[in-house]
Amino acid sequence: MCKPAFDGPRCEQCKSGFHSYPNSAFLFPVCSCDPHTSLDVSCTPSGQCRCQPNYSGASCDQCAPGYYGYPSCAPCGCSAEGSHYSHCDRLSGQCVCRPGVVGRRCDACTHGLYGI
């Protein structure tokens, strides 16, 4: 029988939902995985949660690159032709446009120009 927060055949690892053993043998930090955006409540020994595809961060509490607008984390949809990158601003969804290109997804030409 293991002490609270310990698990394993010889009580040598953290119980699911805790992390940092053996670095923190007497005080186990609780995993802080977001239950809506992580795959489960367990985390790595360093405290990193396993996130659903659109999410990132230690607790899965931010959008992954290529997504914006936490907590919904919608795809950026940046135009491959009009944008410098496939990722966008994580809050607004604005892509980084090439010169002469405008729009949130960089999918329109500046007034007076045509053909991205």
Side-chain angles (χ1 to χ4, degrees):
M1 185 88 182
C2 298
K3 292 181 181 181
F6 284 89
D7 203 2
R10 295 186 307 267
C11 302
E12 77 286 2
Q13 60 192 29
C14 297
K15 188 175 264 185
S16 179
F18 296 88
H19 66 90
S20 294
Y21 182 78
N23 299 331
S24 181
F26 300 105
L27 178 64
F28 284 93
V30 176
C31 295
S32 58
C33 304
D34 185 314
H36 303 291
T37 58
S38 61
L39 296 174
D40 53 39
V41 295
S42 63
C43 56
T44 66
S46 66
Q48 175 67 51
C49 301
R50 295 183 327 119
C51 303
Q52 292 182 24
N54 299 12
Y55 301 91
S56 67
S59 300
C60 304
D61 58 352
Q62 57 187 287
C63 296
Y67 297 88
Y68 75 100
Y70 182 83
S72 61
C73 293
C76 292
C78 299
S79 167
E81 295 82 16
S83 179
H84 282 290
Y85 313 106
S86 61
H87 59 271
C88 60
D89 181 275
R90 288 185 180 182
L91 296 177
S92 69
Q94 177 64 53
C95 301
V96 180
C97 299
R98 296 180 185 278
V101 181
V102 295
R104 188 190 62 74
R105 295 182 301 193
C106 302
D107 56 357
C109 295
T110 302
H111 183 71
L113 298 177
Y114 64 94
I116 296 178

